Amino acid sequence: MCGITGWISFERDLEPEGDVLDAMTATMACRGPDASGTWLEGPAALGHRRLAIIDLPGGVQPMSVRTDAGEVVIVYSGETYNFVELREQLRQAGERFATDSDTEVVLRGYLRWGEALADRLNGMYAFAIWDGRQRKLVMIRDRLGIKPLYFHRTSDGVLFGSEPKAILINPLIRPAMDVDGLREMFAFVKSPGNAAWSGIREVEPGTIVTVDAGGLRERCYWRLETRPHTDDREATVARVRELLDDVVRRQLVADVPRCVLLSGGLDSSAITALSAAVLAQDGERVRSFAVDFVGQTANFKPDAWRATPDTPYAHDVAEHVDSEHTDIVLDHESLADPAVRRAVVAARDIPTGFGDMDASLYLLCRAIRERSTVALSGESADELFGGYLQFHDPRVQQAHEFPWIAMDPGRHAPMDAILTAEVRAILDLAEYRRESYERALAEIGHLESESDLESRMRISSYLHLTRFVRHLLDRKDRMSMAVGLEVRVPFCDHRLVEYVYNAPWALKTYDGREKSLLRGATRDLLPESVVERVKSPYPSTQSPRYAADIQHQAAELLSNADHSVFALVDRRWLESATRCGPTAAGDLDRHGLEWTLSLATWLDLYRPRLAL
């Protein structure tokens, strides 16, 4: 895993711009703490920060191959899980290799197959290739959007980077956010291509972007397509298990210490058990890590979202598979620490309303990085197998709205309440979400044989896999890479996604519960307590002292009457939210306070021009 950046200017010689390229590359230092490299020649400037995972001495970047027609150079971030097979195919075709890295496989694959290389890759990746033979830049992103990649068109080329900060530091661009950017940031719908920052776009998942002197072109090489599913229940469960076995085996390949993130839920427990089985073949024990909060297990109070604490179930799994397990236990001071909030906002480049859940994920990853470099995680299982409550609520199933919004508008869209009346009117978030929803619906294919319920559930699955999960993937990437930890997500393997997406809803719920296919495919590996556990989301602290901490910080913010946050946030709402006691504050108040503090931190760090 790494950080990449670059600048292409077809009307300039960029070799004198080494200092600017160095600054762009330096913004990616957290993503790649092991090495730094740059390459400049004529109109092209490429930068790379490396987190060494495979072929530690040989995978140095930028990596290039000289041809008679010109030099071809790559900066690459991510992992190609089928690089061994591809390398053998390329060797048989006459290619010769100087390293054992997957980066060289991708580079030589491009030399052999051109942009068609993308169709052959299995992995999580975002890379850019400067093809000096044709004086063009080719940017390619993985199918599900696991690895980020952004670009900004200039008058004569393009700037690009793994994160917006690599682009924003270039003197050609001034940090700004317009109305559409603010809508995207606050609406919680993740429109494809929208990066929130003015003038910056993301390379969409499953897309190739080509830039030459004639302009910029985008081509989709993969999309989530509707196909008939012909396997019966037994065959479907067996195929899911077959795919999971292969995916986990591939994703455990690394030349550095590996581990798994374990919550005690079905998803992470399945990954842990599958990993344990693979590693046991080589006499290794899997290492697992879980997050907990001081006093939470002993004093846990069930709510509408979480019926049980995670820790007892995580311990059941750790004992069952004999993992080397560690609990990372966090206190309210660290979760509310303004320095941690600044690190989170700086990592994500935009404010978010995840509050303590972002802080705890960042702190968890930081603690794990002291012991491991690669971690496997369970992201996308709920979106793929139908785990969330909104999949199973009849009211939400019939709603013409993003399911996560329809399920609980206050939880996922608190900005509707905390923004000033003027800003709410300008942004009109409800209309923005409605338009985004209609655009998403137009992308979905249906089968003539589908019942109304099956059709509605296909819509819900598609929206979760192409909109909702991208929030979570971006969050996991930014929080982990901010501390140099590579997180791999087996449930995002495109083969598994294509197969399970097209399984009928009746199969996904064949035992009358959520995630039936995943449960059936991994039941033999798991303790009964986890098999029978009801879905519980990522943990959030229940500490009233945390709530009191953020109320106090918000009250301090109120004392700064000139703070730019009040151009967006309703001061009267904030005054009200800080007056009630922490135990009386509802979810809306807490999420709103977290949003406000995150927003204020972002404005202080980036000082963007807000074009309302």
Side-chain angles (χ1 to χ4, degrees), residues 63-140:
M63 185 179 289
S64 65
V65 172
R66 289 194 176 276
T67 73
D68 293 341
E71 194 167 5
V72 182
V73 191
I74 187 172
V75 282
Y76 173 87
S77 171
E79 304 294 342
T80 298
Y81 300 126
N82 63 335
F83 78 98
V84 174
E85 299 97 308
L86 292 178
R87 183 169 57 203
E88 184 56 31
Q89 293 174 26
L90 289 164
R91 278 177 173 157
Q92 291 180 6
E95 295 289 338
R96 296 182 179 180
F97 290 84
T99 75
D100 293 324
S101 71
D102 60 338
T103 302
E104 188 179 9
V105 171
V106 174
L107 176 57
R108 293 193 176 275
Y110 174 79
L111 290 170
R112 177 65 56 173
W113 299 310
E115 294 175 13
L117 159 73
D119 299 315
R120 299 172 181 255
L121 298 177
N122 177 310
M124 56 176 192
Y125 47 82
F127 59 90
I129 294 175
W130 171 250
D131 190 338
R133 302 169 304 177
Q134 302 177 56
R135 288 174 56 89
K136 71 176 183 180
L137 181 76
V138 178
M139 296 181 284
I140 301 178

Side-chain angles (χ1 to χ4, degrees), residues 5 18 25 71 214 222 240 311 395 444 469 476 486 535 541 561 571:
T5 190
T25 305
E71 194 167 5
W222 183 90
V240 169
T311 299
R395 176 185 58 84
I444 306 172
V469 78
K476 183 59 69 72
E486 174 176 294
K535 161 69 186 173
T541 181
R571 182 187 296 274

Side-chain angles (χ1 to χ4, degrees), residues 7-22:
W7 181 4
I8 306 299
S9 177
F10 290 102
E11 297 178 1
R12 299 176 60 180
D13 178 358
L14 291 179
E15 292 188 41
E17 302 291 347
D19 289 345
V20 175
L21 179 61
D22 288 344

Side-chain angles (χ1 to χ4, degrees), residues 308-380:
T308 53
D310 284 349
T311 299
Y313 298 92
H315 289 177
D316 284 352
V317 175
E319 181 179 359
H320 189 76
V321 305
D322 190 31
S323 72
E324 297 179 21
H325 184 74
T326 303
D327 290 325
I328 306 300
V329 183
L330 306 174
D331 57 31
H332 70 94
E333 291 97 344
S334 60
L335 294 171
D337 186 350
V340 171
R341 187 179 303 116
R342 282 193 296 273
V344 166
V345 172
R348 299 200 67 172
D349 286 319
I350 57 173
T352 75
F354 283 95
D356 72 297
M357 293 189 290
D358 265 355
S360 66
L361 181 57
Y362 171 82
L363 293 168
L364 171 65
C365 291
R366 191 172 72 179
I368 291 173
R369 185 61 178 90
E370 297 174 359
R371 305 164 175 87
S372 186
T373 311
V374 170
L376 272 63
S377 183
E379 263 72 18
S380 193

Side-chain angles (χ1 to χ4, degrees), residues 111-244:
L111 290 170
R112 177 65 56 173
W113 299 310
E115 294 175 13
L117 159 73
D119 299 315
R120 299 172 181 255
L121 298 177
N122 177 310
M124 56 176 192
Y125 47 82
F127 59 90
I129 294 175
W130 171 250
D131 190 338
R133 302 169 304 177
Q134 302 177 56
R135 288 174 56 89
K136 71 176 183 180
L137 181 76
V138 178
M139 296 181 284
I140 301 178
R141 191 177 180 198
D142 67 65
R143 295 170 179 83
L144 272 293
I146 306 166
K147 291 293 100 186
L149 186 56
Y150 299 86
F151 67 92
H152 167 72
R153 297 185 68 171
T154 66
S155 61
D156 68 340
V158 71
L159 305 170
F160 69 87
S162 294
E163 299 177 9
K165 60 175 63 69
I167 298 170
L168 291 170
I169 201 170
N170 190 290
L172 292 181
I173 186 170
R174 179 186 175 187
M177 192 165 290
D178 57 22
V179 169
D180 276 347
L182 290 169
R183 286 169 174 157
E184 184 68 18
M185 194 165 68
F186 294 149
F188 205 74
V189 297
K190 197 69 179 79
S191 303
N194 193 321
W197 290 98
S198 298
I200 297 179
R201 291 185 54 78
E202 65 170 358
V203 176
E204 294 187 29
T207 298
I208 301 170
V209 176
T210 305
V211 186
D212 58 23
L216 183 147
R217 295 172 298 283
E218 300 181 57
R219 178 176 71 83
C220 175
Y221 71 90
W222 183 90
R223 60 170 50 90
L224 192 57
E225 295 182 343
T226 297
R227 298 168 185 156
H229 184 88
T230 57
D231 291 344
D232 62 15
R233 186 177 82 182
E234 183 178 354
T236 300
V237 170
R239 178 57 177 161
V240 169
R241 176 59 175 271
E242 179 185 24
L243 285 167
L244 285 172

Side-chain angles (χ1 to χ4, degrees), residues 54 64 123 165 170 223 250 353 391 472 488-489 542 603:
I54 293 175
S64 65
K165 60 175 63 69
N170 190 290
R223 60 170 50 90
R250 290 177 182 276
F391 278 105
L472 304 187
R488 301 176 178 180
V489 281
Q542 295 183 340
L603 291 167

Side-chain angles (χ1 to χ4, degrees), residues 4 46 87 198 203 208 252 263 266 337 349 400 442 451 570:
I4 68 172
L46 307 180
R87 183 169 57 203
S198 298
V203 176
I208 301 170
L252 283 170
S263 70
L266 180 61
D337 186 350
D349 286 319
H400 293 280
S451 67
D570 188 330

